[in-house]
Amino acid sequence: MRVIRAVATLHAGRAAAVRQGVRSVSLGACRAAVETPSLRWTGSQLESRRLFSRSSYLRNANMTAAEIALKQAKELAASNMTPEAAAARMTPEEAKRLARVRNIGIAAHIDSGKTTVTERILFYTGRVKAIHEVRGRDGVGAKMDSMELERERGITIQSAATFADWKKKEKGVEETYHVNLIDTPGHIDFTIEVERAMRVLDGAVMVLCAVSGVQSQTITVDRQMKRYNVPRISFVNKMDRMGANPWKAVEQINTKLKIPAAAIQVPIGSEKELEGVVDLIEMKCIRNDGQRGVNLKISKEIPAEIKELCEQKRQELIEKLADVDDEIAEMFLEEQTPTPDQIKAAIRRATIACKFTPVLMGSAIADKGVQPMLDAVCDYLPNPNDTDNLALDRAKGEQPVKLVPYNSLPFVGLAFKLEENPYGQLTYMRVYQGSLKKGAYLYNSRGNKKVRIPRIVRMHSNEMEDVNEIGAGEICAVFGVDCASGDTFTDGGLPYSLSSMYVPDAVMSLSIKPKRSSDADAFSKAMNRFMREDPTFRLHVDEESEETIISGMGELHLEIYVERLRREYKVECETGQPRVSYRETITQKAEFDYLLKRQSGGPGDYARVVGWIEPNPTEGEDNHFESRVVGGTIPDKYISACQKGFQEACIKGPLLGHKVIGSSMVVTDGATHVTDSSDYAFNLAAQMAFGKAFAAAGGQVLEPLMKTTISAPAEFQGNILMLMNKRGTIVDTEVGADEFTMVADCSLNAMFGFSTHLRAATQGKGEFSMEFSHYAPAPPHLQKELVQKYQKELEAKRTK
């Protein structure tokens, strides 16, 4: 409104000024013209001149005024949209709303208790009325594991979003915090679910097992948090288990994850005798009481047996904070003891800056320590205004621009997850700036397509709650938007786009086909849906084998999709290893003299070709045809037919039916018949001659070798060497301080299922990538097996 008023005022002022100026200039010009003898005009000439001068001047003046007004309006609008100006204009109500919003994710290694922790959060915040366990042991299953497959297997396959309100007492006043929560999978095969959650979240709770500490997938999750600068608090779960050692977990966070960490709690009792925790900041005991631990008993009396340990761990906390926070460092040097409020403020500053992670303890399954962890989420993790969310301004060469979570600014949001629903495509969206209203129109920055938002919902696992408006900094889901995962939406006024998430390369492939041809449509529909929802799931049709190949992050990943095809689409499928793209070639020169002579009652087929085939060393993998016919024994019109016949023979080799590469055919002589010779006859003769001479020319099978790069912690070097000795030739090895990298040329045929073997050999910590390197002769025993198999297939086709 301010911009519109400014423009209107400016227009009015300019118009008035122009009118006065024109009147005075025109009168002066008229007088001068009448009084000057040399410029005597008739009345009609004078009038037309007066009108012309007034209109042209007025037009020029008006144009200048409009340009100035527009320029000033643009400058005013731009100054109002800067992050600083928006922050200055933010109302106290808006600032308070933002301060009470938390967008968090729960992430960890497999079986660390993420879903169990989430279930307790929902129960203590009042979102669910009863607690149900993972694996559906009570016949219901955890709320966030809504898929039947998840409840059967006891694993999280898809990240699930929910929201809850947590009431927290601050200085005697009860404040309500709005928490948007995403529960993520732990298995590496579903790593894209963690990836897209980390892309849109402001903070995270990293769950660790008190017995195992930092595990392989914890390292992967840590890498994802660092990739998107996501601050985290750490929760050491399963403190009631035999052998629980939280101090080992704290040490491993410091050494393995290389992020400064210190405990802000000490457990009271251990293993089965776990009672609660001591808060090291306030130095008070917190015990869970009542059914399901809904009540908290807080006391200042610390048990004598752990009092000394608490003092020691509190001092360690202050020392660790002094390393990462300047204010505490100054107090530490001056030997001052910081107050609880100063410690909390320092932890919050260091955590939001990703310089530190406070470590809390408890046991979700035993209903202990979850409420203090929720308090820590509110105290130490950032609100949407505390993080720097950047967009790229396409109008300024993709210059980074800070987004401000202010409702009155133009809308900017990111679609980070798609899900097929009975009501249509459900698009999960994070609102970074502005507000989104039901029925509003948005523009997809990819293609600038205009879309209407007919319905907005808040997700509670697989349940939905309709809302009319979503504010800045929130997470919601919308219906009726045709888009891809990672698309940016604006209100059309800003040329902004947000960077998408990192998508890892697929490492495992399977050939797949429906058992019944009548299921082809349902199969195609399912594949399109799975590819839209999951960027790590890929599908292509192999040109040579004509097989449908699906690729993904591992065997479990693909197995889940095959199972979903059966359950959700009632499509039974056959799967197998994809057919490897072998090649065939020749190794020596072989001569041929082939006569094709067939009579079929009418005009027959007659063609004779003489020459040789040999390897083609000059053109690498290309095939070469040459004619050295003299005397016209084969006319020129049939020479081109011979060339086509040779090229067709190379498409499907005689050994395996794969392409022939690196061969050369030279035709030196031949013979024709007056009536029976034709293009077809010479084409066929060239093909038959090539096939007959192939064996004599030392035909052999070539297999694709893949340049394979493997990275793993140095401790597993011996295990990986044993794996690679069976599969290929080691080209290079580089050993670093913590991990080593190996490059090897491996047979593609030997690499099927390698991801599973690598994970077993490296406790899930190894990673590998493959790219095609070159073709090399396959081992003789493999060549023999492949040729025999191909001959059996041909025989089976003939007898059908």
Side-chain angles (χ1 to χ4, degrees):
M1 287 301 291
R2 290 180 186 175
V3 174
I4 295 166
R5 279 201 294 272
V7 173
T9 309
L10 211 53
H11 267 303
R14 286 282 171 190
V18 167
R19 279 197 297 273
Q20 290 172 357
V22 168
R23 189 179 295 124
S24 59
V25 169
S26 300
L27 287 170
C30 287
R31 285 196 196 98
V34 171
E35 289 166 6
T36 306
S38 60
L39 295 172
R40 300 275 180 193
W41 298 326
T42 63
S44 61
Q45 285 177 321
L46 187 62
E47 186 60 30
S48 63
R49 175 69 179 175
R50 184 187 294 127
L51 289 170
F52 173 77
S53 65
R54 178 181 292 181
S55 61
S56 61
Y57 184 86
L58 192 59
R59 190 164 58 249
N60 290 338
N62 272 333
M63 193 187 297
T64 310
E67 284 174 356
I68 292 168
L70 194 60
K71 186 181 176 184
Q72 289 183 349
K74 279 182 179 177
E75 287 172 359
L76 180 61
S79 66
N80 280 334
M81 277 200 266
T82 60
E84 295 77 16
R89 289 203 319 277
M90 197 176 285
T91 61
E93 293 78 16
E94 180 70 6
K96 188 176 179 181
R97 179 192 73 83
L98 274 177
R100 299 286 179 266
V101 172
R102 296 289 181 273
N103 295 313
I104 65 164
I106 311 285
H109 184 82
I110 316 151
D111 285 338
S112 294
K114 298 176 298 299
T115 305
T116 310
V117 168
T118 309
E119 191 77 3
R120 269 47 180 192
I121 289 173
L122 296 178
F123 179 70
Y124 294 133
T125 54
R127 287 295 292 156
V128 295
K129 301 301 177 193
I131 291 173
H132 298 289
E133 302 304 342
V134 177
R135 290 190 190 274
R137 278 174 282 195
D138 53 2
V140 179
K143 178 67 188 172
M144 301 303 276
D145 286 346
S146 57
M147 280 175 68
E148 189 184 336
L149 270 168
E150 292 178 319
R151 293 178 177 180
E152 279 178 20
R153 292 173 180 254
I155 58 171
T156 302
I157 294 170
Q158 288 186 330
S159 57
T162 187
F163 63 97
D165 289 333
W166 176 241
K167 291 180 170 56
K168 178 180 179 292
K169 278 199 174 180
E170 292 180 356
K171 296 175 183 175
V173 180
E174 195 172 70
E175 295 285 357
T176 301
Y177 283 81
H178 181 73
V179 181
N180 291 305
L181 176 69
I182 297 180
D183 176 30
T184 64
H187 206 289
I188 194 165
D189 285 29
F190 312 110
T191 189
I192 191 64
E193 295 290 328
V194 188
E195 200 77 42
R196 59 170 137 222
M198 292 303 155
R199 170 65 186 84
V200 298
L201 293 172
D202 299 323
V205 178
M206 186 170 71
V207 180
L208 298 100
C209 174
V211 179
S212 307
V214 171
Q215 295 167 272
S216 58
Q217 198 60 14
T218 320
I219 296 168
T220 306
V221 164
D222 168 72
R223 193 160 54 231
Q224 289 167 322
M225 289 178 183
K226 285 174 178 170
R227 185 178 290 135
Y228 301 109
N229 295 318
V230 178
R232 92 283 295 266
I233 63 171
S234 301
F235 181 68
V236 180
N237 191 27
K238 302 192 177 184
M239 284 294 298
D240 60 329
R241 276 185 61 189
M242 185 78 73
N245 182 0
W247 312 118
K248 181 182 92 170
V250 174
E251 184 191 342
Q252 287 180 337
I253 294 170
N254 281 284
T255 55
K256 287 191 173 183
L257 303 185
K258 293 182 172 55
I259 178 167
I264 60 170
Q265 292 176 345
V266 167
I268 305 170
S270 62
E271 299 174 357
K272 285 186 180 178
E273 290 164 18
L274 179 71
E275 293 178 31
V277 292
V278 175
D279 180 357
L280 296 178
I281 300 168
E282 303 276 358
M283 289 303 276
K284 61 187 180 184
C285 295
I286 304 170
R287 291 180 174 89
N288 287 77
D289 191 30
Q291 190 175 8
R292 290 293 190 178
V294 290
N295 301 320
L296 292 181
K297 284 171 66 178
I298 298 170
S299 68
K300 287 282 187 182
E301 292 178 18
I302 298 170
E305 63 270 19
I306 59 168
K307 192 157 190 175
E308 190 179 330
L309 177 66
C310 291
E311 294 288 350
Q312 179 197 329
K313 293 299 177 185
R314 191 177 199 271
Q315 189 58 31
E316 282 180 20
L317 169 64
I318 293 168
E319 286 174 14
K320 189 64 77 172
L321 283 172
D323 291 338
V324 295
D325 186 78
D326 293 342
E327 191 178 310
I328 299 294
E330 283 181 26
M331 296 180 78
F332 185 74
L333 291 171
E334 292 170 8
E335 297 185 357
Q336 294 177 9
T337 304
T339 64
D341 285 346
Q342 287 172 326
I343 294 174
K344 278 188 176 181
I347 292 173
R348 181 173 176 79
R349 284 194 299 271
T351 303
I352 290 173
C354 296
K355 294 178 182 176
F356 178 77
T357 175
V359 183
L360 297 99
M361 298 160 194
S363 170
I365 199 92
D367 307 315
K368 290 180 171 65
V370 177
Q371 293 100 319
M373 185 262 286
L374 271 169
D375 286 342
V377 166
C378 302
D379 286 337
Y380 308 127
L381 289 182
N383 65 51
N385 210 20
D386 290 327
T387 55
D388 286 343
N389 292 306
L390 301 175
L392 303 174
D393 191 341
R394 298 195 307 277
K396 296 181 180 177
E398 297 201 339
Q399 186 181 323
V401 183
K402 186 180 176 184
L403 298 174
V404 182
Y406 188 40
N407 284 352
S408 64
L409 286 173
F411 177 86
V412 180
L414 178 73
F416 66 93
K417 179 178 168 158
L418 310 179
E419 219 174 77
E420 203 69 28
N421 193 280
Y423 306 104
Q425 181 176 294
L426 185 67
T427 305
Y428 287 77
M429 193 177 286
R430 164 72 196 264
V431 180
Y432 283 101
Q433 183 176 284
S435 63
L436 180 61
K437 291 179 182 175
K438 183 179 174 180
Y441 286 92
L442 296 181
Y443 288 84
N444 189 335
S445 62
R446 183 174 56 85
N448 213 29
K449 188 180 175 184
K450 187 178 181 182
V451 292
R452 184 177 177 270
I453 309 296
R455 187 181 175 196
I456 307 172
V457 293
R458 283 186 186 279
M459 296 304 297
H460 179 42
S461 186
N462 59 337
E463 294 174 10
M464 293 169 229
E465 184 182 299
D466 280 272
V467 290
N468 290 322
E469 187 175 359
I470 284 287
E474 298 273 5
I475 291 172
C476 66
V478 296
F479 277 103
V481 176
D482 184 23
C483 66
S485 186
D487 282 358
T488 304
F489 286 90
T490 67
D491 62 357
L494 295 173
Y496 288 178
S497 65
L498 292 153
S499 59
S500 192
M501 70 209 81
Y502 167 76
V503 179
D505 291 328
V507 295
M508 175 101 189
S509 299
L510 281 178
S511 66
I512 188 169
K513 64 177 180 180
K515 284 183 179 177
R516 299 183 296 270
S517 56
S518 57
D519 289 336
D521 287 345
F523 176 80
S524 176
K525 187 179 177 183
M527 289 294 123
N528 286 330
R529 173 194 165 185
F530 295 156
M531 281 194 290
R532 244 191 354 261
E533 289 181 2
D534 184 354
T536 58
F537 179 80
R538 288 139 200 196
L539 176 142
H540 73 278
V541 177
D542 189 87
E543 289 180 9
E544 291 179 37
S545 64
E546 295 181 354
E547 289 179 317
T548 302
I549 309 293
I550 55 172
S551 307
M553 298 305 297
E555 284 174 288
L556 178 64
H557 188 208
L558 297 178
E559 187 186 318
I560 291 293
Y561 277 115
V562 173
E563 187 65 20
R564 285 182 66 186
L565 263 171
R566 189 176 69 79
R567 293 188 186 204
E568 296 174 27
Y569 290 88
K570 306 292 185 282
V571 176
E572 295 285 347
C573 289
E574 292 176 357
T575 59
Q577 284 189 2
R579 190 177 170 198
V580 177
S581 298
Y582 291 104
R583 293 288 182 265
E584 300 175 31
T585 193
I586 52 177
T587 55
Q588 61 194 40
K589 184 176 177 180
E591 295 184 349
F592 59 83
D593 183 347
Y594 185 80
L595 173 64
L596 173 70
K597 189 176 181 182
R598 290 194 306 203
Q599 204 68 36
S600 55
D605 295 314
Y606 185 94
R608 182 181 173 218
V609 285
V610 181
W612 66 81
I613 60 171
E614 62 183 353
N616 179 25
T618 55
E619 296 181 35
E621 294 185 0
D622 293 336
N623 297 309
H624 175 71
F625 177 86
E626 187 180 345
S627 170
R628 295 186 187 174
V629 176
V630 290
T633 51
I634 301 178
D636 288 346
K637 62 179 179 179
Y638 295 145
I639 293 292
S640 60
C642 291
Q643 184 172 357
K644 283 179 183 173
F646 166 65
Q647 288 167 351
E648 286 173 26
C650 289
I651 291 170
K652 215 169 182 183
L655 295 178
L656 301 180
H658 284 267
K659 281 184 184 177
V660 177
I661 59 172
S663 65
S664 174
M665 186 179 200
V666 179
V667 176
T668 57
D669 199 2
T672 59
H673 189 275
V674 178
T675 56
D676 291 351
S677 289
S678 63
D679 281 352
Y680 171 75
F682 274 93
N683 181 310
L684 194 59
Q687 288 188 49
M688 302 297 279
F690 182 80
K692 295 284 184 187
F694 197 85
Q700 67 176 8
V701 176
L702 303 177
E703 64 176 351
L705 290 188
M706 312 300 286
K707 182 186 176 186
T708 308
T709 307
I710 304 162
S711 300
E715 63 200 89
F716 301 111
Q717 188 173 357
N719 296 2
I720 290 174
L721 279 168
M722 287 173 63
L723 279 179
M724 299 314 293
N725 283 338
K726 303 172 189 174
R727 288 175 169 80
T729 309
I730 295 166
V731 177
D732 186 29
T733 306
E734 184 182 321
V735 182
D738 297 320
E739 65 173 23
F740 83 102
T741 305
M742 179 188 289
V743 180
D745 282 337
C746 303
S747 161
L748 176 61
N749 193 47
M751 293 304 286
F752 291 122
F754 178 71
S755 57
T756 309
H757 294 296
L758 179 65
R759 284 175 196 164
T762 61
Q763 296 176 15
K765 297 174 187 175
E767 295 178 349
F768 80 102
S769 63
M770 290 194 308
E771 60 179 327
F772 173 75
S773 175
H774 62 281
Y775 281 99
H781 69 277
L782 179 62
Q783 292 196 38
K784 194 175 178 182
E785 283 175 25
L786 291 168
V787 172
Q788 286 175 353
K789 186 180 174 185
Y790 180 64
Q791 293 301 329
K792 282 181 184 174
E793 286 174 6
L794 289 179
E795 194 64 38
K797 285 179 183 175
R798 286 193 200 104
T799 55
K800 275 185 182 178

